[in-house]
Each structure stands twice: as C-alpha cells, then as structure tokens.
Amino acid sequence: MKRYGWILSSIAAVAVLLFFTGCQREEVGTNRDAGNPVQAGQDGSGHRGAAEAVPYGEPEIVADKLNVPWDLAFAPDGRMFFTERPGTIRVIAEGKLLPEPVFAFGGPPFVSTGESGLLGLTLDPDFAANGYMYTYHSYEMNGIKNRVLRLVVEGNKAKLDRVLLADIPGQRNHDGGRIRFGPDGLLYVTTGDAEERELSQTPGSLAGKILRIRSDGTIPADNPDPKSPVYSYGHRNPQGLAWQPGSGRLFSSEHGQTSKDEINIIEKGANYGWPLIEGDTKEAKQPLPAGTVLRTPLLHSGASVTWAPSGMTFVANGPWKGRLLVAGLRGEQVLKLTLEGADPVRVTGQESLWKGQFGRIRNVTEGPDGSLYLLTNNRDGRGTPAASDDRIIRFKPK
C-alpha cells in the first residue's frame, strides 16, 4: 500500500506542476479596434509575427544599488534626475551618480509605505531658464494623501517653491503618481483610486483620475469643468502617460484588479469605467444614468495575465520610431506595441522585451541621444533583489 501511495503522490505532484506551468503561460491580449485578438507567440509574449531584431546594444549599468527608483527626467545640460520612493531626488552628472541628494524629504508629513512615497518627476519645458522641477509624493494628514510640488533647482540642489495641488486621496496602494507635460504645455497627473473604488466615479474626488493643471497649479479654462483639474475619470491605478508623435494622442497604462491591465487612449472628459467595467467588458455592473458612455481600452492583458504596467514612452528615433514601450512590474518585461491607423487606432504587433532578465521594471524612457533607459524596482517589497539592485540600465542604439 505504501508503494501505491507513493505512486499516487508522484502523479498528483506532476499534475500540479503541469497545471501551474499552464497557468503561467501568457494569454492573448484583446484589441477592441482590430476586431480580433492579437495572437500570442510560442513564447507566450503576445507578439504577432516574427520578432524584430533589437536595434540596441548590450545593457549598460548607469547606476546601481538604488532604493526603488521611480521616475527619471533628462535636463538639457545632460544631467539625469530621478526619484527614489523612500524620499530622495538624486542626480547623475557627467555620467556619475552624485552621493548627495538634490532634495530629501526628512520626515513627516512625508510618508512612504506600500506603494506610496516619492513617485513621479518631470522638468519644466523651460527648465534651462527657470530651473523648475515637479514631483508627486505621498504625505500623512488625517490619512494618506498625495500632492504635486514645484521645486527650483540651483546647481545640484533643489528647494521647495510651491504646492501646486494637494489633498489627492491616497492609501498604502493605488496612488497613481506619474506626472508629465503634454504637447499643450500643461501638466498631467495620474491618480489611483486610493483603494476606494467608488471614488473613481465620484466627480468631486481627485482619486481614480487623470488631472490637468497649469505649471503654476491653476486650472485650464478648457478642462471639462473649468473649476476642476479632472481631465478624465473612471481609472483604477494609472501609472503611465505618453503622447503619440504626430497625432498628439494621449495614451495611459493602468493596473487591472487581478488581470485585464489596460492601455487606454485618453480623451478629455471620458469615463474609463472602473469599477463598473474591466477590460473590454461592455455591460456595467449597475444601472447607469442615461447617456453615460464607458470607454473600453485599446488593449488589455487578458483574463489570466498580469502585466502590472507602469511607465511608458513612444520611441522617437531609430528603427523603432513610433513604437509604444510599456514597463511591466509583475510581468518583468517591456511591452513593445506597434500601432497603425488613425481612427480607430489598431494594435498590429505586440512583443515582450527582456522578459525576466532584470526583474520588475518600473519605467522605460528614451533619452535625448536615442538610448533606452529602464528603472528596476526589485527592492519595492514585491521583488527578489540582487546585490546590485535597484538599477538604471541603458541600451544605446547600434
């Protein structure tokens, strides 16, 4: 009997292994405009057709042993500024990481716990003249909240200039945090639902939204509501912003609940459905007011795959010009999307880059010289850090 029990146990173990191996295979991402799913390749990466050769060299380490680098910005003089989530802004000058921070949050009300902390960073379009730097961070005041600050950089040090936007609902998780200037010269800000999903559909709340303000914190007159910074709503936890060259369309990446991570095309005043719909579901979970339109994504990860998408960028130079790159945390990859068409936009190619090579990737961006930069986040509490983590990694064009 013991012998048969051992055989049955072995069969069960093999069955469990095969089950989980099958579950880990990435499924097809659904493209609502193409009419058919983008077919997954044999490696499960989701690419259609043969993979393109990578027109970049071997990875180079720009900086290592960092503490959860979250965002990266390039100054006209060649310096690279970046945030570390526990509360420091640092700079790489003349190819070297300076030991002293540009700015450090010394304590309360600043807070960094879970996914909250020092997140997005961007420089003013006229940085060379005014030295303005903008950042998004969490603070604790009757609960966790988030705010947008403007700093002034002098040399390699910065000082607080003003608070542009405060009282954005926050939580340990779902804080959004990406900030970018659009082609219109206005500042766009992503916010999460602060783990209170109903806030995403609440017009008076700043949670679960994409916001738009001027660089002095005032509200543009052509916002959907000229008294509110809200530009779009119905978001769960958007963490990426990128404008398509030529068309000027705004794209955003967004975390799904357990899967169905989304790539959205953002339009002014539009409702992106959370928590009423997810992915390309069109039936809302509750009755809606007459005339309510819920937007489905351009692309989502499918019902059993998690990308956990974060920073994103359109490639402006070289053979990959026009491709959309999206960093993946749990997916441990960069998604490369090929887009075609004007109205509707279609995803005609999807490929996984550097899958599993660097661990969790928080951001991907293109530098002024055409190099690609990755920020790893293996020390964010959800990864398995190596001794050299976290890192900023550069791929120079061939």
Side-chain angles (χ1 to χ4, degrees), residues 22 45 53 85 108 122 124 161 163 174 205 214 249 273 278 315 339 342 357:
S45 63
R85 198 174 67 185
T122 194
D124 195 275
D161 179 57
V163 177
H174 299 194
S205 173
R214 295 192 183 95
R249 287 190 181 92
E278 288 186 87
V315 179
L339 308 178
Q357 292 186 36

Side-chain angles (χ1 to χ4, degrees), residues 37-361:
V38 175
Q39 299 299 317
Q42 293 301 310
D43 62 353
S45 63
H47 69 74
R48 171 183 285 176
E52 290 184 82
V54 176
Y56 297 87
E58 294 299 312
E60 301 175 4
I61 306 304
V62 177
D64 62 4
K65 298 181 180 179
L66 306 177
N67 200 353
V68 194
W70 212 92
D71 210 351
L72 176 67
F74 301 92
D77 61 10
R79 287 180 295 173
M80 293 184 284
F81 296 92
F82 65 94
T83 55
E84 292 179 304
R85 198 174 67 185
T88 55
I89 300 173
R90 305 187 67 184
V91 64
I92 297 168
E94 297 181 352
K96 295 181 179 180
L97 174 63
L98 301 190
E100 293 298 317
V102 174
F103 188 87
F105 290 87
F110 175 82
V111 64
S112 178
T113 179
E115 296 174 0
S116 68
L118 180 56
L119 306 179
L121 180 77
T122 194
L123 303 182
D124 195 275
D126 200 18
F127 177 81
N130 59 32
Y132 287 154
M133 169 188 288
Y134 306 79
T135 193
Y136 180 106
H137 80 88
S138 308
Y139 66 104
E140 193 157 14
M141 191 171 292
N142 299 318
I144 296 177
K145 299 178 181 178
N146 296 295
R147 64 185 180 182
V148 178
L149 305 181
R150 188 170 79 184
L151 307 168
V152 179
V153 177
E154 297 175 353
N156 288 318
K157 292 292 182 180
K159 60 183 180 181
L160 177 63
D161 179 57
R162 66 171 65 182
V163 177
L164 300 185
L165 193 60
D167 294 324
I168 300 169
Q171 190 50 267
R172 282 180 52 87
N173 300 315
H174 299 194
D175 291 282
R178 197 69 59 186
I179 57 175
R180 288 288 183 270
F181 277 94
D184 55 7
L186 300 173
L187 187 61
Y188 291 73
V189 181
T190 74
T191 72
D193 68 3
E195 298 187 303
E196 294 185 47
R197 55 179 62 193
E198 68 279 0
L199 294 181
S200 295
Q201 293 291 327
T202 303
S205 173
L206 299 184
K209 310 294 193 297
I210 292 177
L211 312 177
R212 184 173 74 154
I213 58 176
R214 295 192 183 95
S215 61
D216 61 359
T218 57
I219 299 170
D222 62 343
N223 269 13
D225 178 349
K227 297 181 180 179
S228 169
V230 173
Y231 187 76
S232 65
Y233 64 110
H235 300 286
R236 184 175 181 271
N237 192 22
Q239 289 191 2
L241 291 172
W243 284 263
Q244 185 180 34
S247 75
R249 287 190 181 92
L250 173 57
F251 287 67
S252 179
S253 63
E254 183 166 337
H255 289 233
Q257 186 169 14
T258 56
S259 57
K260 297 183 180 179
D261 299 315
E262 298 180 355
I263 306 298
N264 285 298
I265 299 177
I266 303 302
E267 297 183 6
K268 182 168 68 173
N271 183 346
Y272 289 83
W274 175 254
L276 305 174
I277 59 172
E278 288 186 87
D280 55 3
T281 303
K282 293 181 172 59
E283 294 297 325
K285 297 178 181 179
Q286 64 189 53
L288 300 175
T292 301
V293 177
L294 303 179
R295 300 297 179 91
T296 53
L298 172 69
L299 183 75
H300 71 85
S301 63
S304 62
V305 175
T306 300
W307 296 330
S310 192
M312 60 196 301
T313 191
F314 275 97
V315 179
N317 303 285
W320 283 358
K321 184 177 181 179
R323 304 294 199 276
L324 178 61
L325 304 182
V326 186
L329 292 160
R330 188 169 176 183
E332 297 189 351
Q333 65 188 330
V334 171
L335 289 176
K336 178 168 69 70
L337 304 179
T338 302
L339 308 178
E340 291 183 5
D343 190 14
V345 177
R346 302 178 302 279
V347 177
T348 58
Q350 178 183 335
E351 185 180 346
S352 174
L353 305 173
W354 306 300
K355 177 75 172 178
Q357 292 186 36
F358 308 112
R360 295 166 62 81
I361 302 176

